[in-house]
Amino acid sequence: MCTRGGRVCQGYTAPPDKRTREVRDARTARTNDGALNIVHVGQQQVQSAGLVYVRDGSQVGLSRMERDYLYSFRSYTAGQCAGYHFDPFWQVLVHQVSESCPDVRHAVIGIGALHRRFSNPGSNRNDIFPIRQSTKAIACLRKSMMTGYQSDPAATEKILVACVVLVTFALFQGDVDAVRCHLQAGTKLLWEWRKKNTKSPVASILLHTFIQLHIHWASATRLQDYLEGGYPYLQELIHDNLVDISAHADELSKATMLVSVQCWALMFSDPVSFDPQHTNLSRGFTWDTPANKVHRFKTQVEECSALHRKTGSATNLRAFIALQIQIEMMQVILASTTFSGSETEWDPLLPHFQRVVDKAEMLLSSFNHLPDPLFSVKEGFLGSLMLCGLKCRDWTVRQKVLAICRKYNRREGMFSTAEAVLLLQTVYDFESAGIPPGENIPESARVPMAYIAEHPNLSKFNTKSHIRYCDRNGNWYSKWLSP
């Protein structure tokens, strides 16, 4: 009896179980004479009882399908997104952040689902599931920005990681509006954040990842988003990225990344005209002219080639072949800046086109013992191969390009071999109408511009795309790719 209150003590009662249902179901509670005993259950016992076995805290609250796609992303998709190089963002950082950030976790689950759909195009399994995960990710990101931004010192870093993953999801989904929205906001936030966090251990990783996204987006949009100066701070970020790459310990990786970023720094500096006499005042680098960038680019290519001649690593050799394709295409683009507008001016560039196709065939057939990045977010060779197929009128080269796209099912961000086949075949049929194979295509029959355009689709469940191309008289034609 309680001496102070005069009541009989009934003992302590078990407090209410405030754990989530997911955790409670993973354990078995047994009552014994009023005492609560918690008995841990093994995985086999849990499965036989129809319960859910939770491996780690990041899976608490996820459905069985979400856990399935999260495992798929961590085991397969992340390595695919990295492309031909080891990528600390996709293979290290995103996994660490997804453990504690539900916005990143749901976004990578959505990417894993898109990867599964890409690998099994005929299954049509839960078409609405990836977009639901993207919606959950955005909702969680908005909540974390409103509630936890002030208390978490690494909040901005996590937001930037979430932004990269959401941009990647939008690229794979084909949602151009979402790509522009997330990429513009994320790049500006990165630029502001780097001013105060230059010594952050993840600063260089995030910077390089954003630059790679811009490289791919510039290729996918034919530089249209960069002609109007929508990214006034991009050149500064590219310059900082080159400085970070220059401090890389691995000489081969450093040389490869330097060439790739330098060639696009050249494009971003003045994508319309490479006049050596004009300094690029509007982009913020008054001491640097396009001619200087061309010289540095060519010098770095020679140094990179000399380093890779001595390597015996198949991984490095494959990465260098992919880089050589970009170098060949950069030479084509530099030459095209002096064209007057005639499509026949592309014909003398046939040796470059042939080397692009030959190296693409070598890249796809000579490294079967290495994991092949079929579902990458980085700029690889598909964009160059598509431009080669459109601008080269040699019949043999075009047939090789078509054969590669038909044989290999690949996706690089916005580019896919399935859409490339439809685009190239449409252009070939239009230009070669009434012309025997192997004959020269006259100027009047050539298509000066053709691309895959996205149709506004508010649902975003199944993005609509169509081919747009025009003839020499300026008449535009459209052909739907999806209903």
Side-chain angles (χ1 to χ4, degrees):
M1 177 179 293
C2 180
T3 57
R4 179 175 298 181
R7 293 181 289 104
V8 177
C9 181
Q10 301 295 329
Y12 294 103
T13 59
D17 192 352
K18 295 183 179 181
R19 295 169 299 177
T20 62
R21 182 181 301 174
E22 201 83 28
V23 175
R24 292 199 304 269
D25 290 346
R27 298 181 177 183
T28 301
R30 184 175 63 225
T31 304
N32 183 14
D33 297 331
L36 186 65
N37 296 329
I38 303 298
V39 180
H40 294 273
V41 181
Q43 182 177 7
Q44 294 181 352
Q45 293 172 306
V46 168
Q47 292 176 347
S48 62
L51 301 178
V52 178
Y53 183 78
V54 180
R55 293 179 178 273
D56 56 69
S58 65
Q59 297 187 14
V60 172
L62 299 180
S63 66
R64 189 180 299 274
M65 183 176 294
E66 288 174 334
R67 284 194 295 273
D68 180 27
Y69 285 122
L70 180 60
Y71 173 80
S72 177
F73 174 84
R74 290 174 173 174
S75 302
Y76 309 106
T77 308
Q80 294 279 302
C81 291
Y84 294 103
H85 307 273
F86 172 79
D87 192 318
F89 179 87
W90 288 108
Q91 293 171 279
V92 179
L93 182 60
V94 73
H95 300 295
Q96 295 175 343
V97 179
S98 66
E99 289 286 336
S100 59
C101 297
D103 46 356
V104 177
R105 185 158 57 247
H106 284 292
V108 300
I109 290 172
I111 294 177
L114 291 177
H115 185 199
R116 184 81 63 87
R117 181 197 297 176
F118 170 80
S119 302
N120 302 282
S123 61
N124 292 326
R125 179 184 177 186
N126 290 289
D127 284 341
I128 201 174
F129 180 81
I131 200 68
R132 280 180 174 172
Q133 296 303 309
S134 175
T135 304
K136 286 184 179 181
I138 294 174
C140 293
L141 177 61
R142 184 178 300 172
K143 181 179 179 181
S144 64
M145 292 176 65
M146 294 175 61
T147 60
Y149 186 79
Q150 300 295 334
S151 59
D152 189 357
T156 305
E157 298 175 10
K158 296 176 181 178
I159 292 173
L160 290 171
V161 172
C163 181
V164 171
V165 180
L166 288 172
V167 169
T168 302
F169 179 89
L171 285 171
F172 288 141
Q173 186 74 359
D175 189 351
V176 294
D177 294 333
V179 173
R180 289 191 178 99
C181 176
H182 294 310
L183 191 57
Q184 288 179 351
T187 306
K188 184 177 181 180
L189 179 61
L190 174 68
W191 178 64
E192 295 174 347
W193 173 75
R194 277 183 54 83
K195 293 180 179 179
K196 302 178 182 178
N197 298 271
T198 55
K199 296 183 179 180
S200 172
V202 300
S204 60
I205 297 176
L206 288 171
L207 175 62
H208 187 68
T209 304
F210 268 93
I211 296 302
Q212 294 299 311
L213 289 175
H214 277 287
I215 288 174
H216 176 74
W217 187 238
S219 177
T221 59
R222 306 173 307 283
L223 287 172
Q224 293 302 312
D225 281 15
Y226 300 88
L227 297 177
E228 300 176 357
Y231 299 92
Y233 30 77
L234 182 58
Q235 277 294 316
E236 182 178 343
L237 293 176
I238 290 177
H239 178 267
D240 293 343
N241 188 28
L242 290 172
V243 173
D244 289 345
I245 294 174
S246 299
H248 203 281
D250 186 358
E251 288 295 327
L252 286 173
S253 299
K254 178 173 69 175
T256 303
M257 290 188 292
L258 275 176
V259 172
S260 178
V261 178
Q262 277 184 352
C263 71
W264 282 97
L266 174 60
M267 291 298 298
F268 287 139
S269 64
D270 195 344
V272 179
S273 175
F274 294 95
D275 189 351
Q277 304 302 322
H278 289 80
T279 304
N280 199 357
L281 297 175
S282 62
R283 305 288 177 169
F285 288 89
T286 57
W287 65 87
D288 207 1
T289 64
N292 293 336
K293 291 186 174 69
V294 171
H295 175 72
R296 285 202 309 273
F297 167 68
K298 292 182 177 179
T299 302
Q300 190 62 42
V301 168
E302 295 175 358
E303 295 178 359
C304 185
S305 301
L307 283 173
H308 279 82
R309 289 192 193 102
K310 304 175 183 179
T311 182
S313 170
T315 302
N316 289 333
L317 182 59
R318 185 179 66 170
F320 181 60
I321 292 177
L323 179 63
Q324 285 179 311
I325 295 176
Q326 296 182 14
I327 293 172
E328 290 290 345
M329 195 50 59
M330 183 57 59
Q331 302 291 344
V332 170
I333 294 174
L334 289 175
S336 67
T337 58
T338 61
F339 291 172
S340 61
S342 173
E343 288 298 306
T344 56
E345 292 177 299
W346 295 90
D347 294 347
L349 301 177
L350 176 60
H352 292 287
F353 294 134
Q354 290 174 332
R355 284 193 288 269
V356 168
V357 176
D358 292 342
K359 291 184 184 300
E361 290 179 333
M362 182 187 304
L363 185 70
L364 294 170
S365 61
S366 301
F367 301 94
N368 296 328
H369 58 289
L370 296 177
D372 194 8
L374 305 175
F375 193 74
S376 173
V377 69
K378 292 186 176 181
E379 186 73 10
F381 67 90
L382 271 185
S384 300
L385 197 65
M386 290 176 65
L387 180 62
C388 176
L390 290 173
K391 293 303 181 181
C392 179
R393 269 71 182 196
D394 182 78
W395 186 84
T396 304
V397 171
R398 284 190 158 185
Q399 294 305 309
K400 286 184 177 181
V401 172
L402 267 181
I404 291 174
C405 293
R406 284 171 175 162
K407 182 177 180 180
Y408 299 96
N409 184 28
R410 307 178 69 89
R411 187 168 190 94
E412 293 176 359
M414 294 291 291
F415 298 121
S416 72
T417 51
E419 293 181 346
V421 168
L422 297 175
L423 174 65
L424 296 175
Q425 190 63 62
T426 300
V427 173
Y428 296 170
D429 293 342
F430 183 88
E431 291 187 343
S432 302
I435 301 176
E439 294 293 329
N440 184 46
I441 299 176
E443 175 74 19
S444 59
R446 299 191 179 192
V447 174
M449 181 176 293
Y451 60 92
I452 297 175
E454 290 73 25
H455 187 268
N457 182 16
L458 298 179
S459 70
K460 303 299 181 186
F461 293 154
N462 190 11
T463 308
K464 296 181 179 180
S465 301
H466 62 281
I467 297 172
R468 295 205 69 201
Y469 58 98
C470 66
D471 56 21
R472 295 300 300 172
N473 298 323
N475 300 316
W476 283 92
Y477 305 89
S478 295
K479 179 180 178 181
W480 289 102
L481 296 180
S482 55

